[in-house]
Amino acid sequence: ARLTNKKIELTEDKIEKINNILLTINNQIKEHPLVSITYFQPDIKKDGGKYLTIKEKIKSIDYPNEKLKLITNQQILLSNIYQIEIINQR
């Protein structure tokens, strides 16, 4: 049996901070900024999921579909981001 965690509800302040960082990333998108992202990955078989932290370059932000696209073609729902930090700011 796998242990799962509940998704943490973000405060308005935390959401605003994430959105501000996403705007900064979007302004630097041509440079594919390297970021550290902690995000919620839902479990496909049961309620809950787990939090993962990765370091990866951003390919694009797909606002209409609310997804962050990584250079590896992995996609993360913007609503699942718990924390994001730019590692190599210009």
Side-chain angles (χ1 to χ4, degrees):
R2 289 185 314 279
L3 295 178
T4 58
N5 297 314
K6 286 186 176 184
K7 186 175 177 184
I8 299 168
E9 292 296 322
L10 301 179
T11 64
E12 289 298 320
D13 287 344
K14 187 117 175 144
I15 292 169
E16 185 177 343
K17 184 176 180 182
I18 290 169
N19 286 336
N20 286 337
I21 293 170
L22 289 172
L23 284 173
T24 301
I25 290 168
N26 201 43
N27 290 334
Q28 300 175 14
I29 206 70
K30 290 181 183 177
E31 295 149 22
H32 304 293
L34 179 65
V35 298
S36 174
I37 309 167
T38 300
Y39 66 99
F40 182 75
Q41 180 180 359
D43 192 290
I44 56 173
K45 295 189 177 183
K46 56 195 267 191
D47 286 342
K50 61 184 173 181
Y51 280 88
L52 301 172
T53 300
I54 60 171
K55 290 181 183 175
E56 192 57 70
K57 290 186 176 187
I58 303 298
K59 184 177 186 177
S60 64
I61 301 174
D62 181 355
Y63 283 107
N65 294 307
E66 300 181 359
K67 292 180 180 177
L68 189 65
K69 295 183 178 181
L70 308 180
I71 207 88
T72 60
N73 290 324
Q74 179 182 355
Q75 297 182 22
I76 298 171
L77 286 175
L78 297 179
S79 61
N80 284 344
I81 296 173
Y82 178 73
Q83 184 174 328
I84 188 165
E85 176 184 349
I86 302 170
I87 295 175
N88 64 338
Q89 277 193 295
R90 25 177 185 151

